[in-house]
Amino acid sequence: FGLAGWLKSAATVTVFAVESTPGSGVASVEYRIGDGPFQPYTGSVAIASEGVTQVTARATDRNGNVRTSTQTVSIDTSAPRTTVGLSGTPGLAGWFTSPVTVALAGVDNTPGSGVGLVEYSVNDGAFNTYTAPFVVASPGATRITARSRDRAGNVQTVPTPAAIMIHASQPVVGVPGSAGSR
């Protein structure tokens, strides 16, 4: 089972009909997937497609009374992924010459459950919850690792890494020569 009513694997739907008061008895039990046609129920039905699927059961008694019941099956088996956006003043060979703003975004496949959480770590430290873009200003190399979790509880298994290299200091220029003029 996943979170928020979502399943992380295929589902098996079982339909049963019981006449609650003495009467004529159940004559037929049928089911349909989505808006498809009703078909006779002969055993459990597997639902494997990702997204939200409606399953409707219909029972008819021998007097012709009909009762229906609809259930929703929500399946999300795919983990989301994370994109990392970097903005700053680019230098040469992938280096930045200014502080870098890091923006993260989680993306879940349609028809997934939607992104529930985006997290990041700096230089392989503990993961923090991402709430807004943040700035990296430390000179040298900084490693940002980002991952997302969807509302069903699927976690990105291969986090997205980004290397930020900042070299913002100006070179020192000196003129060799005399100690003064004569």
Side-chain angles (χ1 to χ4, degrees):
F1 285 97
L3 303 172
W6 286 83
L7 302 173
K8 293 174 28 176
S9 64
T12 301
V13 176
T14 303
V15 176
F16 61 92
V18 177
E19 192 165 33
S20 60
T21 58
S24 62
V26 176
S28 68
V29 178
E30 301 168 298
Y31 75 98
R32 75 175 179 190
I33 306 295
D35 292 329
F38 277 98
Q39 48 194 319
Y41 177 76
T42 58
S44 297
V45 178
I47 307 292
S49 56
E50 290 199 59
V52 177
T53 303
Q54 281 193 329
V55 179
T56 302
R58 177 170 70 185
T60 306
D61 69 14
R62 289 192 173 103
N63 287 330
N65 297 310
V66 178
R67 175 73 94 21
T68 62
S69 175
T70 301
Q71 294 294 318
T72 300
V73 178
S74 302
I75 299 174
D76 184 349
T77 62
S78 303
R81 60 195 178 286
T82 309
T83 61
V84 179
L86 306 176
S87 61
T89 305
L92 299 175
W95 286 80
F96 288 91
T97 60
S98 69
V100 175
T101 300
V102 179
L104 305 175
V107 179
D108 197 22
N109 293 335
T110 301
S113 59
V115 175
L117 176 71
V118 177
E119 299 175 302
Y120 69 95
S121 77
V122 178
N123 292 327
D124 301 319
F127 276 90
N128 302 294
T129 300
Y130 174 77
T131 56
F134 58 94
V135 175
V136 174
S138 301
T142 301
R143 178 180 166 92
I144 303 295
T145 304
R147 68 182 181 198
S148 293
R149 177 185 322 262
D150 64 21
R151 291 181 40 231
N154 296 305
V155 179
Q156 183 175 359
T157 56
V158 181
T160 305
I164 301 170
M165 300 177 296
I166 299 175
H167 182 73
S169 62
Q170 300 296 321
V172 176
V173 177
V175 178
S178 64
S181 60
R182 294 186 191 204

